[in-house]
Amino acid sequence: MPQKHILRKWIVQILKFILAAGLISWVLCDINFADLKQLATGRIVFFTVLAGAAIGIQLVLCAVRWQILLRIQRIEISFLRALSLSMQGTFFSLCMPGGAVGGDVVKAAFLLRETGRGQRLNAVTSIFIDRVIGMLALFTLVAAAGPFAGKTILESGAEVKYPVLILYFLCLAGLAAGFALFFQDVILRIPPARKCLDFADGIAGGRIRAILNSVAAYRRDPRRLTGAFLLSILVMHPLLVISLILIVIGITGDTANTAAAASASLLGGAAAALPVTPGGLGVRDKITQMVLEALGVGQNASGIAPVLYSVVLIVLSLTGVFFFLADSWLMNHEILRKTTNHGGSNDKENSDDRR
């Protein structure tokens, strides 16, 4: 049964890769490759490198945010360790079954090896809360940016209007669910809600309430929790928005499409949050392309920009391999050192026995 379960997961993952490839191919089909020679300039390279730097800083800040959340639970790991585990999780989210969740599972497995028994649930919850805060910040920005592009989107064709409207409603639903999670004590004052929780918790053997209690612990440190949220909404997501804006400027040569690129980046990010393809590849590209084109960016630029963005993101995510290899080497080296010391200790004991 476990082997069949693993096989089924990998089959689903392969199908997700096929879907991502199909969506990216769809984006590429709308590009007029005859005009690409005019676009292949040093300006594009320069602005793409700048975009890569912005995404790289955002990935580093992911480790900072997670470290803040770990400290709320009184779990101390170094920044370099948090960065290593974050980058490994980012890499595995692309290639492991389960997408972002699969990357989080690997990240949690590595963290649990270094966490005491009494803190393991809190350690896993920190990864979950880290993702929830990131999503809440993104959904808040999407909801806030909606009115600026809403009229143009509503006047667009059905192929653009309805997917974007669905994303808006999903973001609003995500916001409601996220804030309900942090203000669960208010909801659980309602008798039917409390009875439903008791019933579900009984089936789960008390695990649901334990998780909710772990989540509720974050409210005891509102300063750090608010800091993690503000870091996400004011710095981290804006960096991703800036990266797409830079790529669009590099392609078009002007800043006239800045607002369009910002809206497309946010909506593309919201689409990437859906567990449809690995790392949101393809889904993010197609939504970004449709929004850019609907908001007046040229057809070629609308197609090239999201693809370049994904290439940069993939290249930076692949650096997680080096963190994983370094981690494996250090762990093996430590095991070898301990084994050697243990062996040396045994030799000494044997020598003492002979005496």
Side-chain angles (χ1 to χ4, degrees):
M1 180 63 69
Q3 290 182 347
K4 289 183 179 179
H5 183 65
I6 293 172
L7 179 61
R8 185 165 62 248
K9 281 189 172 182
W10 279 108
I11 290 174
V12 171
Q13 184 74 353
I14 291 170
L15 291 175
K16 286 183 176 183
F17 271 116
I18 293 173
L19 176 60
L23 289 170
I24 292 174
S25 298
W26 189 6
V27 173
L28 294 174
C29 285
D30 292 335
I31 298 174
N32 183 3
F33 287 93
D35 295 337
L36 287 184
K37 291 182 179 179
Q38 299 176 4
L39 297 174
T41 64
R43 185 185 67 224
I44 292 182
V45 174
F46 175 72
F47 278 96
T48 301
V49 170
L50 288 180
I55 295 174
I57 294 171
Q58 194 270 348
L59 290 173
V60 171
L61 291 177
C62 284
V64 174
R65 183 180 65 193
W66 184 38
Q67 194 176 33
I68 292 171
L69 297 174
L70 284 169
R71 284 175 176 167
I72 293 177
Q73 295 285 21
R74 295 180 175 84
I75 299 174
E76 290 290 340
I77 63 173
S78 68
F79 168 72
L80 288 178
R81 188 64 184 143
L83 178 62
S84 174
L85 292 177
S86 292
M87 292 305 300
Q88 290 179 64
T90 301
F91 164 70
F92 282 110
S93 69
L94 290 175
C95 59
M96 285 287 290
V101 176
D104 287 346
V105 169
V106 173
K107 183 177 171 181
F110 291 152
L111 178 64
L112 290 179
R113 295 184 310 193
E114 308 164 23
T115 308
R117 287 186 178 275
Q119 292 182 310
R120 288 183 175 178
L121 178 60
N122 293 337
V124 174
T125 306
S126 72
I127 297 173
F128 170 67
I129 294 298
D130 182 55
R131 188 159 295 278
V132 169
I133 287 179
M135 291 297 99
L136 285 177
L138 174 61
F139 296 160
T140 301
L141 288 172
V142 172
F148 295 98
K151 182 179 179 181
T152 305
I153 294 295
L154 289 174
E155 293 174 351
S156 302
E159 71 281 359
V160 177
K161 178 171 64 176
Y162 291 118
V164 171
L165 285 176
I166 290 171
L167 278 176
Y168 276 128
F169 286 125
L170 288 175
C171 287
L172 293 176
L175 277 174
F179 284 112
L181 181 66
F182 284 105
F183 295 96
Q184 54 184 275
D185 53 334
V186 177
I187 296 174
L188 292 178
R189 291 174 187 170
I190 305 171
R194 190 167 58 252
K195 288 181 179 179
C196 289
L197 174 62
D198 291 338
F199 177 75
D201 194 50
I203 295 175
R207 295 184 182 90
I208 295 177
R209 195 173 288 279
I211 293 173
L212 290 178
N213 289 338
S214 182
V215 171
Y218 286 90
R219 291 183 57 188
R220 293 198 288 267
D221 195 339
R223 181 178 63 84
R224 282 178 173 160
L225 185 62
T226 303
F229 180 75
L230 291 177
L231 178 64
S232 299
I233 200 170
L234 298 179
V235 183
M236 294 173 66
H237 287 299
L239 280 171
L240 297 179
V241 170
I242 289 171
S243 65
L244 184 66
I245 291 174
L246 288 170
I247 290 174
V248 171
I249 291 175
I251 295 170
T252 60
D254 61 60
T255 59
N257 299 304
T258 297
S263 297
S265 175
L266 292 172
L267 288 168
L274 300 174
V276 179
T277 60
L281 293 175
V283 178
R284 176 181 52 242
D285 301 76
K286 189 59 187 176
I287 290 295
T288 302
Q289 179 208 28
M290 290 193 304
V291 174
L292 284 173
E293 197 165 342
L295 295 180
V297 181
Q299 184 177 3
N300 262 7
S302 298
I304 297 168
V307 174
L308 272 179
Y309 179 93
S310 289
V311 169
V312 173
L313 189 60
I314 290 171
V315 170
L316 291 172
S317 298
L318 288 176
T319 59
V321 175
F322 298 103
F323 286 98
F324 174 73
L325 293 175
D327 216 30
S328 300
W329 184 87
L330 288 172
M331 185 181 69
N332 292 334
H333 182 73
E334 183 70 12
I335 290 173
L336 180 62
R337 186 183 64 80
K338 287 181 179 179
T339 303
T340 303
N341 289 344
H342 183 66
S345 176
N346 287 341
D347 290 341
K348 184 177 180 181
E349 289 175 4
N350 292 336
S351 175
D352 291 340
D353 290 340
R354 284 196 297 270
R355 290 176 186 173

